[in-house]
Amino acid sequence: MSKPVPLSKLDEKEFIVPANSACQGCAGSIVARIVSKVIGEDMVRQEVACCGPAFGNITQPVFYGEVFEGAGAMMTGFARAFNRLGRDDIRVTGIIGDGGTTDIGFQGLSASAERNEDMLWVCYDNEAYMNTGGQRSSATTKFAATTTTPVGEFSRGKKERKKPLPILVGVHRVPYMATASVAYPEDFIGKLQYAKPVKGFRFIQVSAPCPTGWNYDPRYSVKVAKEMVLSGLWPLYEVVEGALRITYKPKELKPVKDVLRSQGRFRHITDEEVDEIQGEVDEFWGRLQEKDGGPLF
Ligand SMILES: Cc1ncc(C[n+]2csc(CCOP(=O)(O)OP(=O)(O)O)c2C)c(N)n1
């Protein structure tokens, strides 16, 4: 089980180069910075055609997969090759967007998880295809306005619910699965440190708000991420060998209404639509609490 690790315990060495082409307030770059500091010199990372190559100006070796759907296959190949060379010290680590994870990369993710390949897959979840202009993904929250689900006479934003990817990965019974948030770096660092030496498939999905796609002031990325955790829109939990544990329990969940309306992508939603999301959040949080400390299924 992971334990939160204070920021002060983090290695001072930086791998991410300050000058990069991230948008202002990019939370994905916070993810890349933390992952590279925790995994350190031993990291060889996988990127695909996400925003990652723009914000992840990292000085560790990278193998960049042009093939957007190919992260799982590429990481499998590299993990096995390093293993064959006796280089078990090298951590094959993906820093991959939600489109490259929950949609286009899903078959490779599931196949790698099923084969328990030796890799750490970190999904920075900005809830859309941001690199190509903010199109919806299966990780987009219901009712969000995106460039392919605009709000207008015939559309109320995204029609479908967010895909429950952490649970889907968890049911593969992989050695480690967790959710994390850029607003809770100590929890995130603890999870990375726990996952780092584990052999086999490890997965962390990190909430990484995107001011460009979500339409809020870039200075508030961490605040937005924090409110999502405090409202239950983004619960923090982990599944270790099939056992679930909530890693941060707000005393009482904040109502989702103000949290949603502070993001431009939800500015249009009606009270009924807010109630629908609130109902789903309450139901999921209830289920997590029931399962806390026991098996995921
Ligand atoms: C098979 C395939 N489909 C579509 C694209 C076009 N494409 C490149 S980047 C991208 C969006 C990536 O979204 P995501 O994985 O969520 O990462 P983000 O851009 O948000 O960092 C898309 C659709 C592609 N390169 N390959």
Side-chain angles (χ1 to χ4, degrees):
M1 297 284 166
S2 69
K3 285 199 187 74
V5 174
L7 276 169
S8 56
K9 292 266 187 292
L10 212 50
D11 198 330
E12 279 184 11
K13 185 160 180 188
E14 292 288 348
F15 294 94
I16 192 161
V17 177
N20 65 45
S21 47
C23 299
Q24 254 192 340
C26 171
S29 64
I30 302 175
V31 174
R33 180 172 178 226
I34 292 177
V35 172
S36 59
K37 278 169 88 78
V38 175
I39 309 299
E41 306 281 357
D42 306 330
M43 174 166 135
V44 170
R45 80 183 189 285
Q46 162 80 43
E47 287 175 357
V48 294
C50 308
C51 296
F55 65 64
N57 208 354
I58 309 178
T59 54
Q60 287 137 319
V62 60
F63 41 95
Y64 176 71
E66 264 307 324
V67 187
F68 192 29
E69 59 274 45
M74 287 260 309
M75 285 199 277
T76 295
F78 277 89
R80 291 187 182 194
F82 286 126
N83 179 273
R84 182 64 75 88
L85 293 169
R87 295 297 310 271
D88 281 350
D89 52 316
I90 292 177
R91 314 283 168 210
V92 174
T93 306
I95 302 181
I96 298 169
D98 47 287
T101 303
T102 68
D103 296 338
I104 306 177
F106 185 69
Q107 41 73 25
L109 170 87
S110 173
S112 311
E114 186 264 334
R115 295 190 307 262
N116 197 24
E117 301 287 351
D118 190 19
M119 63 177 75
L120 170 60
W121 188 313
V122 179
C123 169
Y124 62 92
D125 186 0
N126 56 26
E127 298 202 9
Y129 293 62
M130 293 309 181
N131 187 40
T132 41
Q135 297 86 1
R136 59 85 85 187
S137 80
S138 62
T140 307
T141 298
K142 190 167 180 181
F143 300 122
T146 70
T147 52
T148 43
T149 58
V151 175
E153 199 183 340
F154 301 107
S155 164
R156 297 294 309 154
K158 193 198 177 197
K159 286 199 193 70
E160 302 79 13
R161 298 156 76 167
K162 184 178 173 75
K163 190 190 258 189
L165 187 67
I167 300 294
L168 291 176
V169 175
V171 295
H172 285 72
R173 283 202 175 260
V174 294
Y176 191 68
M177 189 299 295
T179 64
S181 166
V182 292
Y184 291 81
E186 299 182 345
D187 172 84
F188 183 26
I189 294 163
K191 288 170 176 167
L192 284 165
Q193 286 201 344
Y194 177 88
K196 183 177 169 180
V198 171
K199 285 279 159 214
F201 192 88
R202 295 91 84 203
F203 178 79
I204 305 181
Q205 187 163 346
V206 195
S207 170
C210 167
T212 311
W214 296 15
N215 189 13
Y216 61 83
D217 188 322
R219 82 180 80 169
Y220 295 130
S221 284
V222 171
K223 184 168 182 266
V224 166
K226 184 166 185 178
E227 305 225 300
M228 285 172 68
V229 172
L230 293 176
S231 61
L233 281 161
W234 191 268
L236 297 176
Y237 58 100
E238 64 187 2
V239 178
V240 182
E241 298 288 358
L244 184 140
R245 185 175 75 99
I246 300 173
T247 59
Y248 178 67
K249 290 184 195 162
K251 279 203 188 79
E252 205 182 320
L253 293 186
K254 277 178 99 164
V256 298
K257 185 174 177 179
D258 299 335
V259 180
L260 293 173
R261 292 222 169 104
S262 69
Q263 302 170 22
R265 63 182 179 147
F266 292 116
R267 217 157 273 154
H268 58 283
I269 64 172
T270 61
D271 287 346
E272 290 73 35
E273 289 163 348
V274 168
D275 287 348
E276 185 182 325
I277 297 191
Q278 185 68 64
E280 286 184 8
V281 164
D282 292 345
E283 190 197 340
F284 189 68
W285 182 244
R287 283 196 195 170
L288 277 183
Q289 284 181 306
E290 274 166 32
K291 291 191 174 291
D292 189 22
L296 172 63
F297 66 97

